[in-house]
Structure formats: structure tokens, C-alpha cells
Amino acid sequence: MAAKVYINGTFYEQEDARISVFDHGLLYGDGVFEGLRSYGGKVFRLREHLDRLWESAKAIHLEIPISHQEMTDAVNESLQVNGIDDGYARLVVTRGVGTLGLDPAQTSDPQVIIIADRITLYPEEFYANGLKIVTVSTVRNHPAALSPRIKSLNYLNNILAKIEGKQAGCIEALMLNHKGEVAECTGDNIFLVRHGELLTPPREAGILDGVTRQAVIELAIESGLAVHEIPLTRHDVFIADECFLTGTAAEVIPVIEVDSRSIGDGTPGPITRDLIEKFHRLARA
Ligand code: PMP
């Protein structure tokens, strides 16, 4: 089924959905985006995703030309017209058409794009058996240069890390920050379990403040687990009892090996499995 793509208030057939080659989203990666997930026709934590989109836009001096409510309606309509109950929606706001120079002041009309799609998950075996990942040498963007909290259209930092991970035979890869601390994976946040407590890098480590990360922290606290947002090193990862990743597309996925070290006993641990189940229940609630 061909997708109907929303651009600035109008739905276009996929092949007719077009953006100018002079759009600074294309020329410079100048724009912001979000990835959303719908379960049973309802978008998971839509308000949080929209808040983050508006925060990303604010950080880059981009004014989103529609309101939160209009965006909410447009997202829901996109899912409806495409007949998607369980799926994924990509929101993109570009800087708009401009001259060939960098200056955003020379651009006009930011483009608001919504692409609703079926979800392509990691293969089921990874949820059952866990992922093997590696640490890559591409350092996560220095937060003082370009904050990883901005979900911008310039994802080259993550793409370079992804390429390195794939070259090592892994579908996800761990990135360290400029201090050599654990930051996050190319498109997912990371958690460890150690002595029955949950550990995850703080926002200050230079990470995307994940919506799924926050949901998992809440679920863990509700179930009585202590959660520590603290700086972590690769050593902390190697000696963890359990490890898992969180993200809108991945949800919660176990990690059983990092840099050829087995994590715990090399199988998805009990706290990870419990949180996976709790997350599924929350998402479908
Ligand atoms: N880190 C990065 C770099 C991401 O791109 C994402 C989103 N794919 C995440 C973490 C996870 O964030 P969320 O749970 O909001 O999808």
C-alpha cells in the first residue's frame, strides 16, 4: 500500500510528496525530527515527543509554523488515513527553502512533514536472546558543540558510529562521550543492572533524553528498583549483571555481549525481562 504523506496540511501520495532541493533540511541537515510509535491506534507519549520536538526547534532557532494541537491532530490523521494501528510515524520540520548560503535568515516556509509507516523491528530473536554490541571509536558529539539533546536532521555522528558497528557485525553500537564515558547507542539509550539496581548515564553525559528511557525509569521506580543516573565507563558495562537498550523503535531490548565480554551469564537477565514485559503492558494500556 502506497503511503500518504503529510506536508504542510495536505496529504500527498508517496510519489508526489516532494521537497525542494533548496530546502536547508537537505542542504545542511538544518531541521529537527521525531520518531513516534502507535499502539492500537494511539501514539505512545505523544506529548513528550512533541515537547522534545519543540525544544529541539527552539535550540536551533526554528519556529514550528503550527501549534502543538495542530501537530497532534496531523499525526493522528496521518495514522488514520494510512490505516495504521500499530506503527511508526516520522515527524520532520525543515528550515525551508533558502539560498545556497548557510544563513537561515535567507530561508522561508519551514516544511512540516509526517510519514506514517509500518514498524520494522529488530528481528524477534534479538528480543529473546539479546544483542551483541561493540564500542565504536566515533565519539558522541561534544554537548558544548552540538547538544545530543537536539534531535536534528544532522545525524552523521550516529551514522558514522552505525557504519562502524555494522563493519564489526553488530546492528547497534555503543558510543562514548568526549570524556570517555558511556553515552548511548547510535539510536538507543543504554541501561545496566548491577546488584539489583538500575544504572544509566545522566543527560549531562551527552545523550538524547529518550522518551522510552524516561518511561523505563518510571516503570523501574514503580516496581521498587533504585535508579541511578550516573556517569558510567566501559568497565561498568563489562561488570554489569544485565544490560539493555531503550528506544521508540527498539522498545526495550536485551544486550548479552559488549566488546566480546559476556554481560552477566550471557543471557537476558530477569530484571530486563521483567521491564520488557512491563513496557509492553504500558505501551498497550
Ligand atoms: N538516542 C538516540 C541517539 C536516538 O536517536 C534515539 C531515538 N531513536 C534514542 C536515543 C531513544 O530515544 P526515544 O526513546 O525517545 O526513541
Side-chain angles (χ1 to χ4, degrees), residues 52 140 151 155 158 184 186-189 208 210-212 247-248:
R52 190 170 66 187
R140 191 74 178 96
K151 204 164 166 61
Y155 244 52
N158 312 59
E184 60 182 338
T186 67
D188 299 299
N189 292 113
L208 185 77
V211 171
T212 320
T248 292

Side-chain angles (χ1 to χ4, degrees), residues 170-239:
C170 299
I171 61 170
E172 193 37 301
L174 180 60
M175 301 180 78
L176 307 179
N177 67 18
H178 61 289
K179 292 189 265 186
E181 298 162 349
V182 171
E184 60 182 338
C185 290
T186 67
D188 299 299
N189 292 113
I190 186 166
F191 283 84
L192 305 177
V193 177
R194 169 89 170 154
H195 300 325
E197 299 187 333
L198 215 52
L199 313 174
T200 195
R203 291 184 192 91
E204 302 76 57
I207 60 171
L208 185 77
D209 191 359
V211 171
T212 320
R213 172 185 183 275
Q214 189 55 42
V216 164
I217 288 174
E218 288 165 19
L219 285 174
I221 291 171
E222 271 166 33
S223 58
L225 286 179
V227 180
H228 304 286
E229 296 177 58
I230 50 166
L232 298 168
T233 63
R234 280 171 81 218
H235 185 72
D236 294 309
V237 178
F238 298 154
I239 65 169

